[in-house]
Amino acid sequence: MSISFAIEASNDSARLGRLTTPHGVVETPVFMPVGTVASVKGVSQDLLEELGVQILLGNTYHLYLRPGVEQIRQLGGLHRFMAWPRAILTDSGGFQVFSLNQLRQVSEEGVKFRSHLDGSTHFFTPESAMGAQIGLGADIIMAFDECTEHPADRERVRQSMELTLRWAERSKKYVESHKNEVPWTDPVGRGVPVRAGGHGLAGSEQTQALFGIVQGGMDLALRRESAERTIEIGFPGYAIGGLSVGEPRALTREVVESTLQHLPADKPRYLMGVGTPDEIVEYAGLGVDMMDCVLPTRAARHGLLFTSEGRVSIKQARYAGDQEPLDSKCGCRVCRRYSRAYLRHLYAANEVLAQVLNTVHNLSFYLDTMRAVRHSIALGSVVQVSPGERPQAKP
Amino acid sequence: MSISFAIEASNDSARLGRLTTPHGVVETPVFMPVGTVASVKGVSQDLLEELGVQILLGNTYHLYLRPGVEQIRQLGGLHRFMAWPRAILTDSGGFQVFSLNQLRQVSEEGVKFRSHLDGSTHFFTPESAMGAQIGLGADIIMAFDECTEHPADRERVRQSMELTLRWAERSKKYVESHKNEVPWTDPVGRGVPVRAGGHGLAGSEQTQALFGIVQGGMDLALRRESAERTIEIGFPGYAIGGLSVGEPRALTREVVESTLQHLPADKPRYLMGVGTPDEIVEYAGLGVDMMDCVLPTRAARHGLLFTSEGRVSIKQARYAGDQEPLDSKCGCRVCRRYSRAYLRHLYAANEVLAQVLNTVHNLSFYLDTMRAVRHSIALGSVVQVSPGERPQAKP
């Protein structure tokens, strides 16, 4: 068994779910913070737990380059390596290969690319990307796909979609024949590594869940075809990829809404790389169960903070004497303790604590937002976005 | 009243003390972490409290330049600005003016210097440095002194010492006539500012404590004269300045040991800018009550970690696969949760969390070291330094 998914309530298209993974339960809709190289930049795992993070995202591309998959595998997998006992999802590396490499060469076999760190040449295939993800040992892993560029003509989008479908089959085949190689063990302690599928220990029958990825560019018919044929291959969950690649937001929404109709209702649906606070509310309302985005963490590092009153650029001089908390409606550690004046000072003085506190707040805001969304669905109320980007339950 | 100091036990020269400040009790001997610009780099105030920090050091020079004394004064002083309810000590700015400015111009009146940030010209006098420290509102503030360079001939050292003595008188005179201007208020909440010496509120009779600083270079006779004449001026505590300026460690120890003999036993004694873990143990054994140093925090940023087994340079490749905790005898959050392999990875990947975790551990090590020293004194045992830099009580 890999994961199980139960829908506990629904309200129009929105669903309240319970995703059970080998490393704990995830309440959906969920926002997954991005921990690129086995760290959510600046935030310790203790604090992530306190914030209520139930599932983290790791980037296979970055971890493959540094510290290397074999290193992490030998240390018992990503959970144990980074001392994170809760669920983890890794992407396939495909998106970073496409977004960080101008010189990539795509062939039927896979993608040749250069490391953004040292320019060294590497080759990812569906098989090697699955091997990497098995070595990392996340609970949920992603099929190797081609993220189609935007704009692209219909023929190009179709060919790319077809390639992704062939790669999905190869990904599934590889994982099925290597699923017992996951290096799971006690994630925090320093016990003896235990292979999954193995030695009679509790949980040792558990395996990773491989999700398929729907592509098809901005073409609704191709999206439908991609969804149907990915479902034919058969996965325990489905992702919508290839969005947030520069297209207008109305188009993103149209593609998401349309594609969701072709995905099975009883499986988790993951919209990759989205989005702003109001977008995650909007897409949860459409029936998306999982989302991830670097926005809350990256924006924090640039002093851009999300609050119930809207966005605050804390670097501005207007906050230098502002004794109020960043967000008086927020109960996070940062808003409970520090003033805007102090946060502004830390940012202006280039203090590392600025990044730490800003990231804690933004993540808290995102997680609270998703909590409010789940509450709204449970109450049977409409999920709405307030002007200040905080969702409010309307009975 | 400013501070009170009670010696609760002593063992040879070492003393176990209780320093009561307007913002709480400090158990001595104490190590004071350095929070240069109102932040211990990378570590939130919550964590500092959890580590047991009872008193922080702030640098007047840095705070004067950014965000500015007037800004902090208007916001209720440093405690409230940085949301730190416990004790704070500020230096006078003199040391940074000397160490960060090659082009400083010293006159009887004060020191003209250039900002290391933007090259702008500034002038510190004993009066303006006291005014700054009153505006910042630390519990303990320091007289404005000249840190004599090393090496220096005897005549130069004497002239510098005499200048420091005249500045000490001017510092004291200024503080006595402006002591009711301290902007103290509830440090964490956002209440109404209350002036000290004022409105009948609990604690409002409390004032800052101004410490005198003994100079005199490496000349024991001049150190004695400096001590005696500083005591004549009269302060509630005395610091030994002008050490750790490049002289050999045996000489530092000789000057400290000699100078301590001339300081009153019933007042706190503060050795400025010292030192390594074994040095803080050594000087506590000689009878020093307070110390501060950037070493634990600065070394952490360079991956140099202090452990019970000695120093660990976590950047080394030998730790890449090391599943052990950094220090198996340390109970800090970092050693309880993470492996050396993970800490090495964070450092190698230039992740901000490396600085955060390394700093938490090093501070924890220093504070635990001082806890062990206090325990040793209470037990009447000899304070000794183990080969691994952790003091051990020897009955």
Side-chain angles (χ1 to χ4, degrees):
Chain A
M1 189 200 119
S2 59
I3 54 166
S4 68
F5 183 61
I7 293 172
E8 305 201 316
S10 63
N11 184 24
D12 286 337
S13 305
R15 314 111 65 78
L16 185 71
R18 198 174 162 81
L19 176 65
T20 306
T21 79
H23 290 88
V25 170
V26 178
E27 297 164 57
T28 64
V30 66
F31 178 79
M32 304 183 284
V34 179
T36 304
V37 278
S39 165
V40 175
K41 293 188 188 307
V43 184
S44 71
Q45 278 71 313
D46 308 49
L47 269 176
L48 295 174
E49 285 176 349
E50 184 188 291
L51 287 169
V53 175
Q54 295 178 316
I55 179 168
L56 275 185
L57 187 141
N59 291 125
T60 296
Y61 168 87
H62 290 285
L63 292 165
Y64 162 86
L65 291 177
R66 195 167 54 183
V69 171
E70 184 54 22
Q71 184 70 261
I72 292 178
R73 193 192 64 74
Q74 285 181 7
L75 292 169
L78 198 47
H79 291 90
R80 192 178 175 198
F81 176 63
M82 66 183 290
W84 178 253
R86 301 184 183 178
I88 299 176
L89 179 150
T90 48
D91 59 12
S92 69
F95 183 75
Q96 266 83 27
V97 166
F98 288 92
S99 62
L100 295 176
N101 285 274
Q102 306 302 322
L103 301 173
R104 65 185 181 273
Q105 292 169 28
V106 183
S107 63
E108 184 63 32
E109 182 57 17
V111 187
K112 187 170 152 185
F113 63 96
R114 287 181 180 278
S115 160
H116 73 290
L117 295 175
D118 63 6
S120 56
T121 301
H122 301 267
F123 195 64
F124 270 176
T125 65
E127 291 78 15
S128 73
M130 295 309 106
Q133 288 186 88
I134 291 168
L136 296 175
D139 299 272
I140 299 173
I141 64 180
M142 302 303 298
F144 193 63
D145 64 329
E146 183 180 53
C147 180
T148 317
E149 69 280 3
H150 176 78
D153 64 38
R154 192 164 201 268
E155 190 47 35
R156 160 68 193 143
V157 175
R158 166 168 284 285
Q159 284 179 2
S160 175
M161 180 197 82
E162 296 279 359
L163 182 66
T164 287
L165 285 164
R166 291 191 296 276
W167 284 358
E169 292 209 57
R170 287 167 57 187
S171 296
K172 184 180 176 183
K173 189 176 168 195
Y174 187 90
V175 170
E176 284 189 344
S177 58
H178 295 80
K179 64 185 175 189
N180 65 340
E181 294 171 12
V182 64
W184 283 342
T185 176
D186 167 38
V188 174
R190 274 164 282 272
V192 179
V194 178
R195 281 183 187 281
H199 311 280
L201 293 181
S204 61
E205 300 298 326
Q206 294 177 318
T207 59
Q208 296 176 291
L210 173 65
F211 279 24
I213 303 179
V214 175
Q215 290 286 349
M218 307 303 155
D219 187 305
L220 301 190
L222 289 178
R223 282 279 169 182
R224 176 178 189 156
E225 184 178 342
S226 175
E228 289 172 351
R229 291 172 59 188
T230 306
I231 293 163
E232 253 173 57
I233 299 170
F235 296 95
Y238 297 92
I240 303 175
L243 293 177
S244 283
V245 289
E247 78 282 6
R249 180 167 161 185
L251 184 54
T252 319
R253 183 192 158 102
E254 189 186 350
V255 174
V256 171
E257 196 164 13
S258 168
T259 307
L260 284 170
Q261 293 172 15
H262 310 299
L263 294 178
D266 62 345
K267 295 281 196 298
R269 304 148 162 183
Y270 165 29
L271 177 57
M272 306 179 83
V274 168
T276 60
D278 56 341
E279 283 170 344
I280 64 172
V281 173
E282 181 180 6
Y283 294 124
L286 294 178
V288 169
D289 306 303
M290 305 162 68
M291 284 171 270
D292 77 283
C293 193
V294 294
L295 184 58
T297 42
R298 184 175 291 169
R301 299 198 291 279
H302 295 98
L304 182 66
L305 303 173
F306 299 100
T307 79
S308 61
E309 311 267 304
R311 298 180 187 197
V312 167
S313 176
I314 201 66
K315 67 182 77 174
Q316 291 174 4
R318 60 192 284 209
Y319 299 117
D322 190 337
Q323 306 230 30
E324 294 302 308
L326 173 60
D327 185 348
S328 59
K329 291 184 183 143
C330 176
C332 83
R333 277 178 179 263
V334 179
C335 291
R336 284 203 314 268
R337 183 154 198 161
Y338 304 103
S339 65
R340 292 176 167 191
Y342 184 63
L343 295 177
R344 194 267 173 183
H345 161 67
L346 291 178
Y347 191 89
N350 202 27
E351 283 290 302
V352 165
L353 192 58
Q355 170 171 342
V356 174
L357 298 182
N358 291 348
T359 304
V360 167
H361 169 78
N362 272 0
L363 280 182
S364 179
F365 187 82
Y366 265 66
L367 292 163
D368 281 352
T369 297
M370 274 305 201
R371 245 176 240 116
V373 166
R374 291 195 296 269
H375 193 60
S376 295
I377 301 170
L379 289 174
S381 55
V382 180
V383 179
Q384 290 209 344
V385 185
S386 79
E389 297 187 316
R390 174 77 81 183
Q392 307 204 320
K394 296 279 168 63
Chain B
M1 190 201 117
S2 58
I3 54 164
S4 68
F5 184 60
I7 293 172
E8 304 200 318
S10 63
N11 184 24
D12 287 336
S13 304
R15 315 112 62 81
L16 185 72
R18 199 174 162 81
L19 176 65
T20 305
T21 79
H23 291 87
V25 170
V26 178
E27 296 163 57
T28 65
V30 66
F31 179 80
M32 304 183 285
V34 179
T36 303
V37 278
S39 165
V40 174
K41 295 191 187 303
V43 184
S44 71
Q45 278 71 313
D46 308 49
L47 270 176
L48 295 174
E49 286 175 348
E50 185 187 291
L51 288 169
V53 175
Q54 295 178 318
I55 179 167
L56 275 184
L57 186 141
N59 291 126
T60 297
Y61 167 88
H62 291 284
L63 293 164
Y64 162 86
L65 291 177
R66 193 165 59 183
V69 172
E70 185 53 23
Q71 185 70 262
I72 292 178
R73 194 192 64 74
Q74 285 181 8
L75 292 169
L78 197 47
H79 291 89
R80 192 176 175 200
F81 176 63
M82 66 183 292
W84 178 253
R86 301 184 183 178
I88 299 177
L89 179 149
T90 49
D91 60 12
S92 70
F95 183 75
Q96 266 83 26
V97 165
F98 288 91
S99 62
L100 295 176
N101 284 272
Q102 305 302 325
L103 300 173
R104 65 185 183 272
Q105 291 169 27
V106 184
S107 63
E108 183 64 29
E109 181 58 15
V111 186
K112 188 169 150 185
F113 64 97
R114 287 180 181 280
S115 160
H116 72 289
L117 295 174
D118 63 5
S120 56
T121 301
H122 301 266
F123 195 63
F124 270 177
T125 64
E127 291 76 16
S128 73
M130 294 309 107
Q133 287 187 88
I134 292 169
L136 296 174
D139 299 271
I140 298 172
I141 65 180
M142 303 302 298
F144 192 63
D145 65 329
E146 183 180 54
C147 180
T148 316
E149 67 281 2
H150 176 79
D153 65 38
R154 192 161 201 269
E155 190 46 36
R156 160 67 192 141
V157 175
R158 166 168 285 286
Q159 285 179 2
S160 176
M161 180 197 82
E162 296 279 358
L163 183 66
T164 287
L165 285 164
R166 291 190 297 275
W167 285 359
E169 292 209 57
R170 285 167 59 187
S171 295
K172 183 178 177 186
K173 188 173 169 197
Y174 187 91
V175 170
E176 284 188 344
S177 58
H178 295 79
K179 63 184 174 190
N180 64 339
E181 293 171 13
V182 64
W184 284 342
T185 176
D186 166 37
V188 175
R190 273 163 282 272
V192 180
V194 179
R195 280 184 186 282
H199 311 282
L201 293 181
S204 61
E205 301 297 328
Q206 293 177 318
T207 59
Q208 296 176 291
L210 173 65
F211 279 24
I213 302 179
V214 175
Q215 291 286 350
M218 306 304 155
D219 187 305
L220 301 189
L222 290 178
R223 282 279 168 182
R224 175 179 189 156
E225 183 178 343
S226 176
E228 289 172 348
R229 290 171 60 188
T230 307
I231 294 164
E232 253 172 57
I233 300 170
F235 295 95
Y238 297 92
I240 303 176
L243 293 177
S244 281
V245 289
E247 77 282 6
R249 181 169 161 185
L251 183 54
T252 319
R253 184 192 157 103
E254 188 186 349
V255 174
V256 170
E257 196 164 11
S258 168
T259 308
L260 284 171
Q261 293 171 15
H262 309 299
L263 294 178
D266 62 344
K267 296 279 197 301
R269 303 149 162 183
Y270 164 28
L271 176 57
M272 306 180 85
V274 168
T276 60
D278 55 340
E279 282 169 345
I280 65 175
V281 173
E282 180 180 5
Y283 294 124
L286 294 178
V288 169
D289 306 303
M290 304 163 68
M291 283 170 269
D292 77 283
C293 193
V294 294
L295 184 59
T297 43
R298 183 174 290 166
R301 299 199 292 280
H302 294 99
L304 183 67
L305 303 172
F306 299 99
T307 80
S308 61
E309 311 267 303
R311 298 181 184 197
V312 167
S313 176
I314 200 67
K315 68 182 77 172
Q316 291 174 3
R318 60 193 283 209
Y319 299 117
D322 189 339
Q323 305 229 33
E324 294 302 308
L326 172 59
D327 185 349
S328 60
K329 293 186 183 142
C330 176
C332 82
R333 276 177 179 263
V334 179
C335 291
R336 283 203 313 267
R337 183 153 198 163
Y338 305 103
S339 66
R340 292 175 167 191
Y342 184 63
L343 295 177
R344 194 268 171 179
H345 161 67
L346 291 178
Y347 190 89
N350 202 25
E351 283 290 301
V352 165
L353 192 57
Q355 170 171 343
V356 174
L357 298 183
N358 291 348
T359 305
V360 167
H361 169 79
N362 271 358
L363 280 182
S364 180
F365 187 81
Y366 265 67
L367 293 163
D368 281 350
T369 297
M370 274 305 201
R371 246 177 238 115
V373 167
R374 292 195 296 269
H375 193 58
S376 295
I377 301 171
L379 289 174
S381 55
V382 179
V383 179
Q384 291 208 344
V385 185
S386 81
E389 297 189 314
R390 174 78 80 184
Q392 306 203 320
K394 297 277 170 63

